[in-house]
Amino acid sequence: MVDSGGLWTPPEDELGEALQTAQVLIEEGRADEAGPYQQRVIELARVRAEESPNHYEAKHLMAATQYELAGSLNASGRHEEALAALHEAQLGYTELSDAGVLDATSVLADVRARRAMTQAHRGRGATAVLEMDGAVISYGQLVSGEDGLRHQPDFARVLAMNALILRRYGDPALAVASADAATQLFLQLADQINESPQSLSYARYLCTATAVSADVHAAEGRLDLALEADEIGLTTADTLADSDSATDMRTLVAALTRKGKHLGIVGRIMEGETCLRTAFDTDAETAHRVTEELERGLPLTLVTALENAEIKLGPYEQYFRLLALAEPAPGMTLATVSGRTDPESAAVRATELAELVPQLLVKDVDTALTLGVEAHYLFAISSERDSQRMRYETGTYAPIWAKLLRDISDAYYQSGRLELALDLAGWCAEVATALIPFADEQPEMKDLAADCYRHHGDLLAATGDLTASQHAHEAAQQLLTGPERRIGG
């Protein structure tokens, strides 16, 4: 829901009615129906802000509603429009922060978290992991501050979102750590959350967290923990289903399906079949989807990938240094990639991971891609945190990063995962830009940067974006040949 932070009070007119209707629909789990009302709120608030440039209440309402609109657009499958709405929300909150009328730390973290979920919906999983990593870190700092208690429910919410994205695109060991932390925090805050006007929304995120916990614990053979998470999730989902929301009913069916499968594994056959029968009778499509998801299994963990690499390649010198990434860095909790190590060491460990990828792409593609993506995450975190190595040793680390991205992007493309391949190709083109200052003195840098641009262009063409593809290929050609020379110029 839109939180004014005490900056404004909903007016008693058309704007207020539209705002109230949108908020009720969101709380009822019908976000896909809220969009038109949110658009009207934005239109009316924009008129008031234009009439009075210092009307910060209207500007805050616009930013907050753009954020909520993004959620409604996502629920309707309109993810590109959702990203545009989030961009407007970020601009609005930043303006309010710069004007000194609002501490925007938490809301900007929320924007980043919702942008991560939007990117995940688009299949841009690598970007989603890194966006959510930043949101978790921001909330972690908030809950450690003077007003930390107020932010704890939203920290749990963001941890649940982080768990979902890591389950799909990252290390399942990180995903379950984030999910378990979210579940524990939600349960600790139950009384506070139940009194909140956003209680139903928090309950939905609790179901998200317990689903990830159950999936990972079961896959790793920890069936007692999986069934414990199942029970929490099912109890919560059963309560939510009273809302008459189709989304909440699907959550209940998913919880029944998970629990039924896990009961069967531990030998409680009759109980499991009862859960599954109820699930399939209620919503066979959702039950089939969850069943297929469970049968597909999880991505490799970092530890498993490192062990696989040792089997395929033989003992390698950096094995134990890389294995240490599976334990949290000092002062960190290992629920995010950035919790693996400090920003300075991240570039070094990423380089060591990247060294393993070319050989593994020939011998074990899944292991190569797991280690390659983990290397990319560490490079990106080191860069975002503005480490000394990434700032002053760009000529050393950027070429390794760029080549890694090109290689794993191509491997994902060859395996049929076009959206993730395109996501990594976009990162590849961005990193290639950092190579250009070295291009005149080091021709290999120029060739690598051009290759990155061409690769990005090829994948853009594969998705049908021919205009952007042409621009990427033109950038590659211009880099290789230099600016066009004119006679008499």
Side-chain angles (χ1 to χ4, degrees):
M1 292 178 64
V2 177
D3 182 4
S4 73
L7 188 58
W8 50 266
T9 301
E12 298 295 331
D13 56 13
E14 182 188 359
L15 190 156
E17 292 176 6
L19 177 64
Q20 183 63 31
T21 301
Q23 290 179 333
V24 168
L25 288 170
I26 292 170
E27 196 61 30
E28 291 178 351
R30 298 158 61 192
D32 56 326
E33 302 175 36
Y37 298 98
Q38 293 161 332
Q39 293 279 17
R40 187 57 178 157
V41 171
I42 292 167
E43 291 170 4
L44 294 169
R46 180 175 287 113
V47 170
R48 298 189 183 187
E50 289 173 351
E51 291 173 350
S52 177
N54 293 327
H55 196 324
Y56 290 116
E57 294 87 348
K59 291 183 177 182
H60 188 197
L61 182 56
M62 286 171 57
T65 309
Q66 290 279 12
Y67 169 79
E68 294 293 354
L69 174 62
S72 301
L73 292 168
N74 278 332
S76 304
R78 297 157 63 184
H79 307 309
E80 297 288 347
E81 294 173 69
L83 287 175
L86 288 169
H87 178 67
E88 291 299 320
Q90 181 173 349
L91 291 177
Y93 282 130
T94 301
E95 179 184 352
L96 292 168
S97 179
D98 291 344
V101 298
L102 177 70
D103 180 356
T105 305
S106 63
V107 289
L108 287 174
D110 284 334
V111 168
R112 192 164 188 179
R114 181 155 287 177
R115 188 161 56 228
M117 294 300 295
T118 306
Q119 295 288 14
H121 288 311
R122 299 172 70 230
R124 305 314 204 258
T127 295
V129 167
L130 291 165
E131 287 277 24
M132 192 62 78
D133 190 291
V136 173
I137 294 303
S138 292
Y139 262 108
Q141 294 169 346
L142 285 169
V143 298
S144 299
E146 294 181 0
D147 202 19
L149 291 177
R150 182 170 69 87
H151 294 292
Q152 285 185 343
D154 287 314
F155 186 36
R157 169 177 57 81
V158 171
L159 283 169
M161 298 163 74
N162 180 58
L164 182 61
I165 287 177
L166 285 170
R167 187 230 182 274
R168 295 175 182 171
Y169 298 108
D171 186 340
L174 295 183
V176 75
S178 189
D180 286 348
T183 300
Q184 183 179 10
L185 191 51
F186 275 131
L187 295 178
Q188 289 174 353
L189 300 170
D191 291 341
Q192 176 184 342
I193 287 173
N194 289 336
E195 295 175 0
S196 165
Q198 302 180 58
S199 58
L200 293 179
S201 294
Y202 288 127
R204 294 180 184 115
Y205 285 110
L206 173 56
C207 290
T208 296
T210 56
V212 175
S213 289
D215 285 354
V216 181
H217 284 309
E220 295 293 330
R222 300 183 292 268
L223 272 302
D224 55 336
L225 295 177
L227 287 170
E228 183 180 331
D230 281 328
E231 185 60 30
I232 296 169
L234 183 57
T235 301
T236 307
D238 190 40
T239 301
L240 281 171
D242 294 337
S243 69
D244 295 326
S245 161
T247 300
D248 290 336
M249 183 56 67
R250 286 193 292 270
T251 300
L252 175 59
V253 171
L256 281 166
T257 305
R258 278 189 170 84
K259 186 173 182 180
K261 290 291 185 180
H262 297 154
L263 286 169
I265 294 172
V266 299
R268 294 161 63 180
I269 306 299
M270 297 297 292
E271 294 175 75
E273 288 181 351
T274 299
C275 286
L276 290 172
R277 190 180 308 113
T278 303
F280 277 91
D281 288 347
T282 305
D283 184 346
E285 182 180 352
T286 297
H288 276 298
R289 176 182 56 76
V290 174
T291 299
E292 291 173 357
E293 184 178 47
L294 294 175
E295 290 175 349
R296 279 197 302 270
L298 298 169
L300 295 175
T301 65
L302 174 62
V303 170
T304 300
L306 291 170
E307 292 171 348
N308 288 350
E310 189 173 43
I311 293 170
K312 299 291 183 178
L313 305 179
Y316 50 94
E317 185 265 338
Q318 65 265 49
Y319 175 75
F320 289 105
R321 291 196 299 274
L322 294 175
L323 197 62
L325 295 172
E327 298 296 330
M332 300 293 291
T333 300
L334 197 58
T336 59
V337 178
S338 59
R340 294 196 188 281
T341 188
D342 64 274
E344 295 298 332
S345 299
V348 179
R349 299 289 88 82
T351 299
E352 292 178 335
L353 285 168
E355 291 171 354
L356 302 172
V357 171
Q359 298 176 71
L360 286 168
L361 282 171
V362 179
K363 298 175 180 290
D364 186 340
V365 173
D366 286 343
T367 294
L369 291 176
T370 297
L371 297 181
V373 169
E374 289 292 339
H376 163 56
Y377 294 154
L378 291 175
F379 273 130
I381 287 165
S382 185
S383 178
E384 181 178 342
R385 304 295 192 275
D386 202 22
S387 72
Q388 298 292 306
R389 281 192 168 92
M390 295 303 288
R391 177 189 287 188
Y392 296 112
E393 300 177 48
T394 306
T396 298
Y397 292 105
I400 299 170
W401 189 8
K403 185 178 185 305
L404 170 79
L405 286 164
R406 186 197 59 193
D407 290 347
I408 61 175
S409 172
D410 184 62
Y412 274 116
Y413 176 65
Q414 297 300 328
S415 68
R417 300 183 67 180
L418 176 56
E419 295 301 331
L420 186 52
L422 180 59
D423 185 19
L424 292 165
W427 278 93
C428 183
E430 185 174 338
V431 175
T433 303
L435 303 177
I436 293 176
F438 305 94
D440 289 339
E441 296 181 0
Q442 302 180 55
E444 66 275 12
M445 294 276 206
K446 181 184 295 185
D447 292 340
L448 176 57
D451 192 28
C452 291
Y453 289 146
R454 282 194 299 266
H455 175 68
H456 190 211
D458 291 343
L459 293 192
L460 287 166
T463 64
D465 194 345
L466 301 182
T467 300
S469 173
Q470 181 180 351
H471 290 160
H473 281 284
E474 288 174 352
Q477 186 62 27
Q478 184 175 13
L479 180 61
L480 292 173
T481 62
E484 181 181 354
R485 294 182 179 274
R486 297 183 180 276
I487 297 176

